[in-house]
Amino acid sequence: MNIILNEIMECRDSSYKEFHKKLIPTIDENTILGVRSPKAQAIAKRYADTDEGERFLSSLPHKYYDENIVHAFMLGNLRLSRDELWERILEFLPYVDNWAVCDGLVSHLKYFFKDKESVFPLVLSCLEGETYTVRFGLVCLLNYYISDEYMDKLLTACARIKSEEYYINMALAWLVSFMLIKQYERTIPLLAGGALDKWVHNKAIRKAIESFRISDEQKSFLKTLRR
């Protein structure tokens, strides 16, 4: 057993496993060790940019969900060039098989997105991939790109996505709901034009209406757009 996996094993928490497995029902619960996020983050930070960390990152596929979480967190701690880190992300994405690892990876890539403009085409390229690669792209757009200069391309990208995958559609609905919250006037035509699949359309409206940042007048109008 390698050093990092040994540390992960030492951080197992059976009660947290019982709680956490309910949040990620799409994977085998026997692969969940129950490592709490702060401990996974500490391991990832400690071994990033070390020889042991390099061996761990090169040992795909991992056996345990918690190894994938540490892997995702570790990528966010590497100090590589944009292209080198993107290569590492692309190596990992085919092995991402659940929303938690996917979204955890996105949330730990703040350093990568310091140069948002150069990274933007790379993110858009993910929207043509497999389920969690597409979700990765959508969550990146949600976290880093809802602003004036990117809105036209975001609207076009959202309109093009047609999927039967729940975890893609949920991410798309969340993205559109946040676009409504942050860029209401720019986003309304996307809904009024009926470009989204019905489930995504209605879910996005529902999530936007739940936000306190949407005015009562805006909420009333959004309700008229339900399909």
Side-chain angles (χ1 to χ4, degrees):
M1 184 182 300
N2 63 55
I3 293 174
I4 294 177
L5 179 54
N6 186 56
E7 288 202 23
I8 291 171
M9 292 294 237
E10 290 177 352
C11 294
R12 285 178 291 183
D13 184 327
S14 58
S15 63
Y16 187 65
K17 171 181 176 172
E18 290 303 307
F19 163 75
H20 206 61
K21 72 182 186 182
K22 298 173 185 176
L23 302 178
I24 42 175
T26 57
I27 65 173
D28 180 356
E29 67 178 69
N30 292 317
T31 67
I32 302 172
L33 300 173
V35 178
R36 294 178 182 270
S37 185
K39 292 186 176 181
Q41 290 171 343
I43 293 170
K45 186 174 182 179
R46 184 159 58 252
Y47 287 102
D49 296 315
T50 67
D51 290 343
E52 193 60 42
E54 176 62 29
R55 283 189 285 272
F56 176 76
L57 293 174
S58 300
S59 65
L60 292 167
H62 300 303
K63 179 178 179 180
Y64 295 104
Y65 159 81
D66 309 76
E67 288 181 279
N68 283 325
I69 283 288
V70 170
H71 192 124
F73 293 172
M74 193 179 294
L75 288 178
N77 281 281
L78 298 178
R79 290 299 178 259
L80 301 174
S81 69
R82 180 201 65 190
D83 291 344
E84 289 172 327
L85 183 51
W86 184 245
E87 183 177 342
R88 284 303 181 94
I89 293 169
L90 291 182
E91 287 173 355
F92 183 51
L93 282 174
Y95 300 99
V96 175
D97 62 357
N98 64 87
W99 70 267
V101 171
C102 177
D103 296 11
L105 173 60
V106 175
S107 68
H108 282 73
L109 289 175
K110 294 179 181 178
Y111 175 81
F112 184 58
F113 283 97
K114 281 188 174 181
D115 184 6
K116 294 198 300 182
E117 185 174 353
S118 70
V119 173
F120 188 59
L122 304 179
V123 172
L124 289 182
S125 70
C126 290
L127 301 182
E128 304 294 331
E130 298 299 320
T131 298
Y132 290 101
T133 299
V134 175
R135 183 182 173 98
F136 171 82
L138 291 171
V139 178
C140 286
L141 295 178
L142 189 161
N143 282 15
Y144 302 107
Y145 289 101
I146 303 178
S147 57
D148 285 335
E149 61 266 41
Y150 296 105
M151 280 301 296
D152 286 343
K153 291 181 179 179
L154 260 64
L155 292 165
T156 298
C158 289
R160 286 178 176 171
I161 294 176
K162 307 297 178 186
S163 176
E164 299 296 324
E165 295 288 343
Y166 173 81
Y167 288 99
I168 289 177
N169 287 332
M170 182 57 81
L172 179 56
W174 273 112
L175 171 59
V176 174
S177 73
F178 272 79
M179 289 163 61
L180 284 166
I181 291 166
K182 296 181 178 181
Q183 296 279 336
Y184 180 83
E185 297 296 338
R186 298 282 297 276
T187 308
I188 280 294
L190 178 69
L191 296 167
L196 302 173
D197 286 344
K198 182 178 178 180
W199 187 92
V200 174
H201 176 103
N202 289 333
K203 181 67 74 172
I205 290 174
R206 176 182 172 185
K207 292 300 181 183
I209 288 173
E210 290 173 354
S211 173
F212 68 89
R213 289 177 285 178
I214 294 285
S215 70
D216 290 341
E217 181 181 357
Q218 290 170 336
K219 289 178 182 179
S220 295
F221 181 68
L222 284 171
K223 289 176 182 178
T224 70
L225 296 179
R226 289 171 171 162
R227 288 157 53 187

mmCIF file of all heavy atoms in Angstrom, residues 122-144:
data_model
loop_
_atom_site.group_PDB
_atom_site.id
_atom_site.type_symbol
_atom_site.label_atom_id
_atom_site.label_comp_id
_atom_site.label_asym_id
_atom_site.label_seq_id
_atom_site.Cartn_x
_atom_site.Cartn_y
_atom_site.Cartn_z
ATOM 1 N N LEU A 122 -10.733 25.885 -23.310
ATOM 2 C CA LEU A 122 -10.510 24.532 -22.791
ATOM 3 C C LEU A 122 -11.761 24.034 -22.074
ATOM 4 O O LEU A 122 -12.171 22.882 -22.239
ATOM 5 C CB LEU A 122 -9.318 24.526 -21.832
ATOM 6 C CG LEU A 122 -7.990 25.066 -22.375
ATOM 7 C CD1 LEU A 122 -6.907 25.008 -21.293
ATOM 8 C CD2 LEU A 122 -7.542 24.290 -23.604
ATOM 9 N N VAL A 123 -12.369 24.913 -21.298
ATOM 10 C CA VAL A 123 -13.600 24.550 -20.588
ATOM 11 C C VAL A 123 -14.713 24.228 -21.581
ATOM 12 O O VAL A 123 -15.424 23.231 -21.437
ATOM 13 C CB VAL A 123 -14.027 25.683 -19.643
ATOM 14 C CG1 VAL A 123 -15.408 25.409 -19.054
ATOM 15 C CG2 VAL A 123 -13.004 25.858 -18.524
ATOM 16 N N LEU A 124 -14.872 25.051 -22.597
ATOM 17 C CA LEU A 124 -15.922 24.809 -23.591
ATOM 18 C C LEU A 124 -15.732 23.471 -24.289
ATOM 19 O O LEU A 124 -16.707 22.797 -24.633
ATOM 20 C CB LEU A 124 -15.948 25.938 -24.624
ATOM 21 C CG LEU A 124 -16.467 27.301 -24.153
ATOM 22 C CD1 LEU A 124 -16.471 28.284 -25.314
ATOM 23 C CD2 LEU A 124 -17.859 27.202 -23.546
ATOM 24 N N SER A 125 -14.489 23.067 -24.480
ATOM 25 C CA SER A 125 -14.224 21.794 -25.167
ATOM 26 C C SER A 125 -14.750 20.609 -24.361
ATOM 27 O O SER A 125 -15.037 19.551 -24.923
ATOM 28 C CB SER A 125 -12.727 21.627 -25.435
ATOM 29 O OG SER A 125 -12.000 21.392 -24.231
ATOM 30 N N CYS A 126 -14.898 20.774 -23.057
ATOM 31 C CA CYS A 126 -15.397 19.684 -22.212
ATOM 32 C C CYS A 126 -16.874 19.407 -22.452
ATOM 33 O O CYS A 126 -17.368 18.320 -22.110
ATOM 34 C CB CYS A 126 -15.185 20.027 -20.736
ATOM 35 S SG CYS A 126 -13.469 20.023 -20.228
ATOM 36 N N LEU A 127 -17.589 20.354 -23.019
ATOM 37 C CA LEU A 127 -19.029 20.199 -23.192
ATOM 38 C C LEU A 127 -19.384 19.184 -24.268
ATOM 39 O O LEU A 127 -20.557 18.864 -24.469
ATOM 40 C CB LEU A 127 -19.662 21.557 -23.517
ATOM 41 C CG LEU A 127 -19.444 22.647 -22.464
ATOM 42 C CD1 LEU A 127 -20.166 23.929 -22.873
ATOM 43 C CD2 LEU A 127 -19.902 22.199 -21.079
ATOM 44 N N GLU A 128 -18.386 18.641 -24.924
ATOM 45 C CA GLU A 128 -18.596 17.610 -25.939
ATOM 46 C C GLU A 128 -18.193 16.221 -25.435
ATOM 47 O O GLU A 128 -18.162 15.274 -26.201
ATOM 48 C CB GLU A 128 -17.790 17.940 -27.203
ATOM 49 C CG GLU A 128 -18.071 19.308 -27.800
ATOM 50 C CD GLU A 128 -19.482 19.424 -28.329
ATOM 51 O OE1 GLU A 128 -20.064 18.390 -28.747
ATOM 52 O OE2 GLU A 128 -20.017 20.543 -28.324
ATOM 53 N N GLY A 129 -17.877 16.107 -24.143
ATOM 54 C CA GLY A 129 -17.329 14.860 -23.629
ATOM 55 C C GLY A 129 -18.353 13.941 -22.992
ATOM 56 O O GLY A 129 -19.553 14.038 -23.235
ATOM 57 N N GLU A 130 -17.855 13.042 -22.137
ATOM 58 C CA GLU A 130 -18.706 12.118 -21.411
ATOM 59 C C GLU A 130 -19.379 12.838 -20.240
ATOM 60 O O GLU A 130 -19.101 14.003 -19.977
ATOM 61 C CB GLU A 130 -17.884 10.926 -20.918
ATOM 62 C CG GLU A 130 -17.254 10.107 -22.036
ATOM 63 C CD GLU A 130 -18.293 9.503 -22.973
ATOM 64 O OE1 GLU A 130 -19.331 9.044 -22.471
ATOM 65 O OE2 GLU A 130 -18.055 9.482 -24.188
ATOM 66 N N THR A 131 -20.230 12.106 -19.522
ATOM 67 C CA THR A 131 -21.114 12.733 -18.534
ATOM 68 C C THR A 131 -20.397 13.673 -17.581
ATOM 69 O O THR A 131 -20.759 14.858 -17.466
ATOM 70 C CB THR A 131 -21.849 11.650 -17.712
ATOM 71 O OG1 THR A 131 -22.653 10.866 -18.596
ATOM 72 C CG2 THR A 131 -22.726 12.290 -16.643
ATOM 73 N N TYR A 132 -19.378 13.186 -16.882
ATOM 74 C CA TYR A 132 -18.773 14.024 -15.850
ATOM 75 C C TYR A 132 -17.739 14.987 -16.408
ATOM 76 O O TYR A 132 -17.369 15.947 -15.725
ATOM 77 C CB TYR A 132 -18.213 13.156 -14.719
ATOM 78 C CG TYR A 132 -19.348 12.528 -13.944
ATOM 79 C CD1 TYR A 132 -19.723 11.201 -14.163
ATOM 80 C CD2 TYR A 132 -20.101 13.278 -13.051
ATOM 81 C CE1 TYR A 132 -20.798 10.634 -13.487
ATOM 82 C CE2 TYR A 132 -21.179 12.726 -12.378
ATOM 83 C CZ TYR A 132 -21.525 11.411 -12.599
ATOM 84 O OH TYR A 132 -22.604 10.862 -11.944
ATOM 85 N N THR A 133 -17.318 14.769 -17.645
ATOM 86 C CA THR A 133 -16.513 15.781 -18.319
ATOM 87 C C THR A 133 -17.400 16.965 -18.694
ATOM 88 O O THR A 133 -17.012 18.128 -18.506
ATOM 89 C CB THR A 133 -15.839 15.196 -19.570
ATOM 90 O OG1 THR A 133 -14.974 14.129 -19.183
ATOM 91 C CG2 THR A 133 -15.022 16.255 -20.297
ATOM 92 N N VAL A 134 -18.600 16.680 -19.189
ATOM 93 C CA VAL A 134 -19.549 17.756 -19.501
ATOM 94 C C VAL A 134 -19.933 18.488 -18.215
ATOM 95 O O VAL A 134 -19.968 19.726 -18.176
ATOM 96 C CB VAL A 134 -20.812 17.204 -20.196
ATOM 97 C CG1 VAL A 134 -21.838 18.324 -20.405
ATOM 98 C CG2 VAL A 134 -20.451 16.572 -21.535
ATOM 99 N N ARG A 135 -20.226 17.737 -17.165
ATOM 100 C CA ARG A 135 -20.587 18.395 -15.907
ATOM 101 C C ARG A 135 -19.434 19.264 -15.410
ATOM 102 O O ARG A 135 -19.661 20.380 -14.919
ATOM 103 C CB ARG A 135 -20.960 17.355 -14.847
ATOM 104 C CG ARG A 135 -21.423 18.017 -13.545
ATOM 105 C CD ARG A 135 -21.764 17.028 -12.465
ATOM 106 N NE ARG A 135 -22.044 17.711 -11.223
ATOM 107 C CZ ARG A 135 -23.262 18.015 -10.759
ATOM 108 N NH1 ARG A 135 -24.335 17.697 -11.468
ATOM 109 N NH2 ARG A 135 -23.408 18.646 -9.605
ATOM 110 N N PHE A 136 -18.210 18.769 -15.521
ATOM 111 C CA PHE A 136 -17.047 19.565 -15.138
ATOM 112 C C PHE A 136 -17.056 20.906 -15.869
ATOM 113 O O PHE A 136 -16.875 21.965 -15.255
ATOM 114 C CB PHE A 136 -15.764 18.794 -15.448
ATOM 115 C CG PHE A 136 -14.503 19.603 -15.302
ATOM 116 C CD1 PHE A 136 -13.922 19.788 -14.056
ATOM 117 C CD2 PHE A 136 -13.896 20.165 -16.413
ATOM 118 C CE1 PHE A 136 -12.763 20.536 -13.919
ATOM 119 C CE2 PHE A 136 -12.732 20.908 -16.286
ATOM 120 C CZ PHE A 136 -12.161 21.094 -15.034
ATOM 121 N N GLY A 137 -17.281 20.868 -17.177
ATOM 122 C CA GLY A 137 -17.318 22.105 -17.941
ATOM 123 C C GLY A 137 -18.418 23.037 -17.477
ATOM 124 O O GLY A 137 -18.211 24.249 -17.327
ATOM 125 N N LEU A 138 -19.605 22.496 -17.238
ATOM 126 C CA LEU A 138 -20.734 23.315 -16.799
ATOM 127 C C LEU A 138 -20.490 23.947 -15.433
ATOM 128 O O LEU A 138 -20.805 25.128 -15.216
ATOM 129 C CB LEU A 138 -22.007 22.471 -16.769
ATOM 130 C CG LEU A 138 -22.552 22.026 -18.127
ATOM 131 C CD1 LEU A 138 -23.673 21.009 -17.940
ATOM 132 C CD2 LEU A 138 -23.042 23.216 -18.943
ATOM 133 N N VAL A 139 -19.923 23.177 -14.516
ATOM 134 C CA VAL A 139 -19.675 23.714 -13.179
ATOM 135 C C VAL A 139 -18.560 24.758 -13.217
ATOM 136 O O VAL A 139 -18.588 25.740 -12.463
ATOM 137 C CB VAL A 139 -19.368 22.582 -12.182
ATOM 138 C CG1 VAL A 139 -19.056 23.136 -10.789
ATOM 139 C CG2 VAL A 139 -20.555 21.624 -12.099
ATOM 140 N N CYS A 140 -17.587 24.581 -14.094
ATOM 141 C CA CYS A 140 -16.567 25.618 -14.293
ATOM 142 C C CYS A 140 -17.216 26.916 -14.781
ATOM 143 O O CYS A 140 -16.890 28.009 -14.293
ATOM 144 C CB CYS A 140 -15.523 25.162 -15.308
ATOM 145 S SG CYS A 140 -14.360 23.928 -14.708
ATOM 146 N N LEU A 141 -18.129 26.805 -15.749
ATOM 147 C CA LEU A 141 -18.821 27.995 -16.252
ATOM 148 C C LEU A 141 -19.602 28.665 -15.138
ATOM 149 O O LEU A 141 -19.603 29.899 -15.009
ATOM 150 C CB LEU A 141 -19.751 27.612 -17.407
ATOM 151 C CG LEU A 141 -19.085 27.078 -18.673
ATOM 152 C CD1 LEU A 141 -20.138 26.698 -19.709
ATOM 153 C CD2 LEU A 141 -18.113 28.094 -19.262
ATOM 154 N N LEU A 142 -20.273 27.870 -14.321
ATOM 155 C CA LEU A 142 -21.065 28.410 -13.208
ATOM 156 C C LEU A 142 -20.173 29.147 -12.211
ATOM 157 O O LEU A 142 -20.504 30.247 -11.756
ATOM 158 C CB LEU A 142 -21.811 27.260 -12.526
ATOM 159 C CG LEU A 142 -22.872 27.596 -11.466
ATOM 160 C CD1 LEU A 142 -23.795 26.388 -11.270
ATOM 161 C CD2 LEU A 142 -22.271 27.973 -10.124
ATOM 162 N N ASN A 143 -19.053 28.558 -11.878
ATOM 163 C CA ASN A 143 -18.190 29.121 -10.834
ATOM 164 C C ASN A 143 -17.375 30.323 -11.280
ATOM 165 O O ASN A 143 -17.074 31.202 -10.463
ATOM 166 C CB ASN A 143 -17.231 28.050 -10.308
ATOM 167 C CG ASN A 143 -17.903 27.090 -9.352
ATOM 168 O OD1 ASN A 143 -19.119 27.022 -9.274
ATOM 169 N ND2 ASN A 143 -17.115 26.327 -8.619
ATOM 170 N N TYR A 144 -17.019 30.370 -12.562
ATOM 171 C CA TYR A 144 -16.001 31.340 -12.975
ATOM 172 C C TYR A 144 -16.376 32.267 -14.134
ATOM 173 O O TYR A 144 -15.638 33.222 -14.395
ATOM 174 C CB TYR A 144 -14.707 30.593 -13.348
ATOM 175 C CG TYR A 144 -14.156 29.740 -12.240
ATOM 176 C CD1 TYR A 144 -14.251 28.356 -12.286
ATOM 177 C CD2 TYR A 144 -13.551 30.310 -11.125
ATOM 178 C CE1 TYR A 144 -13.740 27.559 -11.267
ATOM 179 C CE2 TYR A 144 -13.040 29.517 -10.100
ATOM 180 C CZ TYR A 144 -13.138 28.144 -10.175
ATOM 181 O OH TYR A 144 -12.640 27.361 -9.162
#
